[in-house]
């Protein structure tokens, strides 16, 4: 017999059985920590989204039942995104302020028929603009006008709060919008409506399938650059500044987006703020695992679970993920 190493510290003792591994698990992913993004369509039938396998745009008539199903699985929150007809899109995104638009009807429908689920309503103009940007362009037409856009976002937030959303979720990255929205909500009696701020949202190439889903995808075959308002993926310190500003302006929950390629940012924001922190595992993160699994190259369920675990371990309290429903089903079954 070979002589044992002179090794008194042996970490493998803590990994020796499923039981001890389970006891010592530091991080968990539970359905209550997940928020399901839902796409809503004007159409009458489910519309599968090719680049988001398993995800469809949902017609208004099926939306509340879908939310009730999620609730049964232990999911408490949904993030709503409308896909409107191209004919309703304009340069200013005026449809965003139509009090009877699809997003507002969707909120009212869910609040009426599935009142317990928490609605995070996206605040940005990209589902409504013909050019696909999150805001209104300046007179030269070469950039998004910050302050003009904030005026629109404030009005949109008021309509959204009136419709019954629990949280407005500005995803536009304009400067000063969180403070302006908070002030307007308070001045109009919506002190109970929260703000989930997309604080550190990066100009990422991982948003492609989402843009297919809301139909804002490409301009002359190219993915639209939002680099003049979304963050530079190279920047860490700047993300902390963004988080501080949104917190000071009255955000209730901060968010980092995307998640998987930005785990260091999640950790940084976690350590710099005591606010609850969300992370958005975006469409491209979901699509890449599905695509590799379809080829037989990755185990979908195992990589899904590991990717979510990593985001929680980095410091996110909540995760917006297209995997929410599937994860919760498997969670209930085990
Ligand atoms: C735009 C918005 C985007 C996403 C959520 N809100 C895309 C973008 O900034 O172009 C992306 C989400 C995803 O990829 O899953 N306001």
């Amino acid at each position: 017999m070979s002589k044992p190493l002179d090794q008194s510290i042996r970490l493998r003792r803590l990994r020796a059985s499923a039981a001890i591994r389970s006891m010592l698990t530091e991080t968990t992913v539970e359905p209550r920590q997940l928020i399901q993004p839902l796409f809503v369509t004007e159409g009458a039938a489910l519309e599968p989204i090719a680049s988001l396998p398993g995800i469809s745009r949902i017609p208004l008539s099926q939306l509340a039942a879908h939310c009730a199903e999620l609730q049964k699985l232990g999911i408490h929150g949904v993030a709503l995104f409308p896909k409107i007809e191209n004919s309703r899109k304009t340069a200013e995104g005026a449809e965003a302020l139509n009090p009877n638009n699809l997003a507002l009807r969707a909120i009212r429908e869910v609040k009426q028929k599935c009142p317990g689920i928490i609605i995070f309503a996206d605040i940005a103009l990209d589902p409504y603009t013909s050019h696909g940007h999150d805001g209104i362009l300046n007179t030269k037409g070469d950039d998004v006008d910050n302050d003009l856009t904030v005026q629109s976002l404030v009005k949109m937030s008021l309509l959204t709060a009136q419709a019954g959303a629990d949280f407005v979720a500005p995803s536009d990255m304009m400067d000063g919008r969180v403070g302006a929205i908070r002030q307007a909500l308070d001045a109009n009696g919506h002190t109970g409506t929260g703000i989930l701020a997309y604080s550190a949202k990066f100009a990422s190439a991982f948003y492609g399938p989402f843009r297919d889903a809301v139909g804002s995808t490409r301009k002359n075959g190219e993915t639209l650059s939002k680099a003049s308002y979304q963050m530079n993926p190279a920047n860490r310190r700047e993300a902390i500044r963004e988080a501080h500003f949104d917190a000071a302006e009255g955000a209730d929950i901060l968010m980092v987006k995307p998640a998987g390629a930005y785990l260091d940012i999640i950790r940084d924001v976690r350590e710099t703020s005591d606010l609850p922190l969300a992370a958005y595992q975006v469409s491209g993160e979901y699509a890449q695992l599905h695509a590799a699994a379809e080829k037989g190259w990755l185990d979908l369920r195992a990589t899904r679970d590991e990717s979510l675990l990593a985001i929680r371990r980095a410091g996110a309290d909540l995760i917006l993920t297209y995997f929410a429903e599937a994860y919760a089903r498997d969670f209930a079954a085990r």
Side-chain angles (χ1 to χ4, degrees), residues 89-94 125 128-131 133 135-137:
K89 299 185 183 183
T90 60
E92 288 78 32
L125 296 182
Y128 306 101
T129 54
S130 42
H131 42 71
H133 279 294
I136 301 170
L137 302 183

Side-chain angles (χ1 to χ4, degrees), residues 129-158:
T129 54
S130 42
H131 42 71
H133 279 294
D134 289 24
I136 301 170
L137 302 183
N138 60 18
T139 39
K140 268 175 80 188
D142 63 355
D143 198 5
V144 170
D145 184 317
N146 191 90
D147 298 11
L148 197 59
T149 298
V150 171
Q151 288 179 21
S152 228
L153 299 175
V154 164
K155 291 180 194 149
M156 195 178 168
S157 298
L158 287 175

